[in-house]
Amino acid sequence: MQGGRAVAVGLAIACLGLPSYAQTPRPQAPPAPLAVDDGQSTVVEALEVVARPQGPALWVVTRGESQVTVIGGYGPLPHGLEWNTVRVERALTGADGFYLAKPSINPLELAAIFFNPGAFKLEGGRTLNDVIGPVRKERLGRIAAIAKADTGRMQPYKPAIAGLFAYQTFLRAAGLSPEKPGTTLGRLARTHNVPERSLAKIGAASLIRSIQRMDEPAQLVCFDAAMDQIEWDSGHAVNAARAWSEGHLSELRSLTSHAIFDRCLTEGGAPRAVLEKATVDSVASLEDLLAKPGRNVALIDLTVLLPRNGVLDRLKAAGATVTVPPQ
């Protein structure tokens, strides 16, 4: 799921027509590991001893006459990031398809949310400042200056939604795109006449609804996660993007904090099964590709590739061969 949660929720808000604002980190504790990571993937661990690759980390998964080159996705990335595309373009040359996860909103679900905009807002005449208290209010003021966000327009909304707005506007202000590298890879695929196809659907509406229904403590967890993510990204996103672009997985792991919606959904009260479902769906999609002869390329988020028992480990356990392509 390349940039899955941020892209999906951002798309849902855009579709709803809710306000999306025009887009000095504090001292931070060491970053948490990626997602719900219980350890390093044994496949990734074994392959990290290979000489430094050119460009992002790639893996080749084969079974019989089928081959899928898996590109490890990460975001957000700076709009102007330049990276070595040689190995990616080599994989795309003659490929049958380029697969990536895309946000999906069921029209009926979207209509249900659209006709209930009050679910995004606080009740009883309370404002965001009333709910978050003076300490968070002061922090929001500092974050809003970074994100170029209008805190006045956030006041009617629940903390998690306000945090989402702030994060989306920060991305624009900082020149960061949660849709990359998917858009860049899609352009390369078109250059090589490789059709772009959907690997899996990201249920944007269900994510939005889960945030809407959170109780107040969970809402504050999500608000704090958004503030943490903005501060962290403002100081580290560029270095993390460089690490991704050069295939430095260990450095990327050391630079990366919890993704905003991973933490929001797991610590905020939604089941930890969110990332498990992403892993299961990704494995199922790749198994479908491996069931028939051909060569394909897929973009899969490192969040579900890197952990022990992640996508690569499960494919290997199911009998697929996982290697790295030549330099």
Side-chain angles (χ1 to χ4, degrees):
M1 292 202 322
Q2 187 272 320
R5 289 158 295 280
V7 176
V9 177
L11 176 62
I13 284 183
C15 291
L16 288 172
L18 291 172
S20 179
Y21 311 114
Q23 299 193 325
T24 56
R26 64 175 182 171
Q28 296 285 324
L34 283 170
V36 192
D37 186 357
D38 294 321
Q40 171 92 339
S41 158
T42 55
V43 173
V44 173
E45 204 167 47
L47 297 182
E48 279 194 328
V49 301
V50 175
R52 181 68 62 208
Q54 297 177 358
L58 305 182
W59 293 268
V60 177
V61 184
T62 57
R63 180 182 290 147
E65 297 180 10
S66 179
Q67 173 183 298
V68 181
T69 298
V70 176
I71 305 168
Y74 169 78
L77 298 178
H79 285 288
L81 179 68
E82 295 183 0
W83 48 277
N84 191 312
T85 63
V86 170
R87 292 197 308 157
V88 169
E89 295 196 66
R90 187 181 299 146
L92 286 168
T93 301
D96 299 317
F98 167 59
Y99 290 79
L100 77 167
K102 294 184 177 181
S104 173
I105 303 178
N106 180 296
L108 293 178
E109 290 183 313
L110 179 60
I113 296 174
F114 183 83
F115 288 110
N116 186 26
F120 289 94
K121 296 184 177 182
L122 294 164
E123 298 176 347
R126 294 186 304 163
T127 67
L128 178 65
N129 287 344
D130 295 332
V131 175
I132 63 177
V135 175
R136 287 188 175 93
K137 177 184 175 182
E138 187 276 333
R139 187 184 186 195
L140 176 60
R142 289 187 286 107
I143 297 297
I146 297 173
K148 295 182 171 56
D150 181 352
T151 58
R153 296 182 65 191
M154 295 182 191
Q155 291 306 309
Y157 293 95
K158 293 179 178 179
I161 302 300
L164 170 61
F165 291 157
Y167 184 62
Q168 291 293 103
T169 57
F170 162 74
L171 293 177
R172 285 197 292 274
L176 298 170
S177 172
E179 297 179 350
K180 291 181 178 292
T183 52
T184 302
L185 291 166
R187 185 174 66 252
L188 289 174
R190 291 190 294 274
T191 299
H192 289 269
N193 297 313
V194 178
E196 182 177 310
R197 300 189 172 113
S198 178
L199 181 71
K201 295 293 186 182
I202 305 166
S206 60
L207 286 174
I208 285 289
R209 250 203 316 275
S210 69
I211 294 175
Q212 285 178 335
R213 294 170 178 170
M214 287 176 178
D215 60 20
E216 198 162 290
Q219 288 278 336
L220 291 173
V221 167
C222 288
F223 176 85
D224 290 340
M227 300 299 103
D228 289 345
Q229 191 72 49
I230 292 170
E231 289 191 323
W232 189 262
D233 282 355
S234 68
H236 298 276
V238 172
N239 286 337
R242 177 193 49 76
W244 170 83
S245 72
E246 296 174 357
H248 295 194
L249 295 183
S250 295
E251 182 181 357
L252 181 61
R253 289 168 67 91
S254 74
L255 285 169
T256 307
S257 64
H258 274 80
I260 173 175
F261 293 111
D262 291 346
R263 177 173 162 194
C264 179
L265 290 172
T266 56
E267 295 183 30
R272 291 169 67 90
V274 170
L275 290 183
E276 172 63 16
K277 183 179 187 305
T279 302
V280 169
D281 289 350
S282 296
V283 170
S285 296
L286 292 178
E287 287 282 10
D288 286 344
L289 292 178
L290 292 170
K292 49 183 181 281
R295 287 181 54 245
N296 292 283
V297 178
L299 177 63
I300 307 285
D301 199 279
L302 288 168
T303 302
V304 295
L305 286 177
L306 290 183
R308 180 178 299 133
N309 198 34
V311 171
L312 294 175
D313 284 1
R314 295 186 194 193
L315 290 171
K316 184 176 181 180
T321 300
V322 184
T323 59
V324 291
Q327 300 302 303

